[in-house]
Amino acid sequence: MQNEFREKFGLLLGLVGVICFSLTLPATSIAVEYFGTTVVGLGRTVVAAILVAVVLVVQKEKLPSRRQFKSLLVVAIGAVLGFPILTSWAMEFLPVSHGAVELALLPLATAGFAMFRAGEVPSLKFWVSSIIASLAVIAYALHLGFGQLQYADLALLGAVMILGLSYAEGGKLAKELGSWQVIAWAIMIGAPFFVVPVGLHLTIEMLHAPIQAWISFIYLAVVSQFLAYVAWYSGMAMGGIARVSQIQYLQPFLMILFASVFLDESITFFTLVIAVIVICSVISGKNAPVSRKRTVSEKN
């Protein structure tokens, strides 16, 4: 009963994280127009580091071990450097709905890396559900006629792969280091390297950016870069990486919804049909059994 409650609570936390992440692309699209790729992509980490440093000091957290540092480096490269900078650049050229569709492939990337990094083995039902959801997303992309891949598309696909690895590594590490500690230490690892490039791209004109641009940037720094990851990694640690990753299929449609609200992008009937198909796949995949490979120490 306790394990069942833990898994359900993990799924709830995962949902909270996904909702928070769903505002990332719309916020990025707004902020990057006024602050540029470097400031939005890397500056969010510099700002987040100030909040994180205070939390780490107040909580008197111990420094990670050398082995944990290696995993944190993977998380930092994906969640702190790669994903923010690649998506910030892509959002200069693509609408949010376009980016949302391609980021929908993230659950498959996460589940795939989870098998290798966390020893999880999703069942056939899990993979069937994932494939159905992915095909629905592809159909959606083809319907919108995005055509051949652009460089921005390649950037988003690269972001999907690097973040999928980061999610899997972070979810595994959260079980021993703590959920918020994973992203907190990853931010502290990356932030010092970002101060100089961000500083070189700051201009006086940025001070005159509209309030919505500043709100978007602050949201990216405080929520997208830190608080959302706390909920997300907590959810994966409690509910299982592969299973919680299924909730990410809701993310593209939440992104499109928020883009409609904040950016006046339209929502078509076809989008709603695809959303229903994907949500049904998520429900099916969420209930699919996920086993775990036994380590050598466990066998002994």
Side-chain angles (χ1 to χ4, degrees):
M1 182 64 70
Q2 185 176 2
N3 288 337
E4 183 180 353
F5 173 79
R6 180 181 174 84
E7 289 182 1
K8 289 183 177 179
F9 190 65
L11 289 170
L12 177 60
L13 287 175
L15 177 60
V16 171
V18 164
I19 293 174
C20 294
F21 287 136
S22 297
L23 280 165
T24 298
L25 284 193
T28 300
S29 182
I30 294 172
V32 77
E33 180 180 352
Y34 299 95
F35 301 124
T37 299
T38 302
V39 173
V40 174
L42 302 182
R44 68 178 77 174
T45 299
V46 176
V47 174
I50 299 174
L51 171 63
V52 168
V54 172
V55 174
L56 289 174
V57 171
V58 171
Q59 293 295 321
K60 298 180 180 180
E61 291 293 323
K62 296 181 180 179
L63 290 174
S65 66
R66 180 176 298 182
R67 178 182 57 82
Q68 292 170 337
F69 181 83
K70 293 179 180 179
S71 293
L72 285 170
L73 190 58
V74 174
V75 176
I77 291 174
V80 177
L81 173 61
F83 184 79
I85 201 71
L86 288 173
T87 53
S88 294
W89 181 77
M91 285 301 95
E92 290 193 69
F93 307 98
L94 299 175
V96 171
S97 58
H98 191 147
V101 168
E102 295 187 7
L103 290 186
L105 298 176
L106 183 57
L108 282 180
T110 304
F113 283 118
M115 288 192 299
F116 296 102
R117 301 302 300 166
E120 293 190 357
V121 183
S123 64
L124 178 61
K125 181 181 179 182
F126 175 91
W127 287 116
V128 169
S129 299
S130 297
I131 291 172
I132 291 174
S134 297
L135 290 176
V137 168
I138 292 172
Y140 178 73
L142 292 175
H143 175 75
L144 294 181
F146 291 149
Q148 64 182 18
L149 291 177
Q150 307 172 37
Y151 286 118
D153 291 298
L154 296 177
L156 285 176
L157 293 176
V160 166
M161 294 301 295
I162 197 171
L163 189 60
L165 174 58
S166 176
Y167 276 173
E169 192 71 23
K172 177 185 176 183
L173 184 60
K175 295 179 180 180
E176 57 178 273
L177 186 61
S179 56
W180 68 267
Q181 290 91 335
V182 170
I183 189 60
W185 285 116
I187 288 173
M188 295 305 295
I189 289 173
F193 298 98
F194 302 162
V195 173
V196 172
V198 169
L200 292 175
H201 285 80
L202 293 176
T203 64
I204 297 297
E205 289 74 17
M206 291 179 182
L207 295 175
H208 303 292
I211 186 65
Q212 61 266 30
W214 283 104
I215 292 175
S216 296
F217 179 76
I218 293 173
Y219 179 88
L220 291 171
V222 176
V223 180
S224 293
Q225 196 61 51
F226 182 50
L227 297 182
Y229 277 106
V230 173
W232 181 243
Y233 282 132
S234 296
M236 288 195 294
M238 297 176 69
I241 298 173
R243 179 168 293 168
V244 174
S245 72
Q246 286 288 91
I247 302 177
Q248 292 175 96
Y249 283 124
L250 298 176
Q251 188 166 306
F253 302 100
L254 289 174
M255 283 184 181
I256 292 171
L257 174 62
F258 291 139
S260 174
V261 173
F262 297 108
L263 302 175
D264 294 325
E265 292 189 13
S266 61
I267 300 178
T268 65
F269 177 73
F270 185 71
T271 298
L272 297 178
V273 171
I274 295 296
V276 171
I277 295 174
V278 173
I279 290 173
C280 289
S281 298
V282 170
I283 295 173
S284 175
K286 178 178 70 65
N287 296 321
V290 177
S291 60
R292 184 175 181 273
K293 293 180 180 178
R294 297 178 61 190
T295 63
V296 175
S297 60
E298 290 173 336
K299 291 178 180 179
N300 296 331

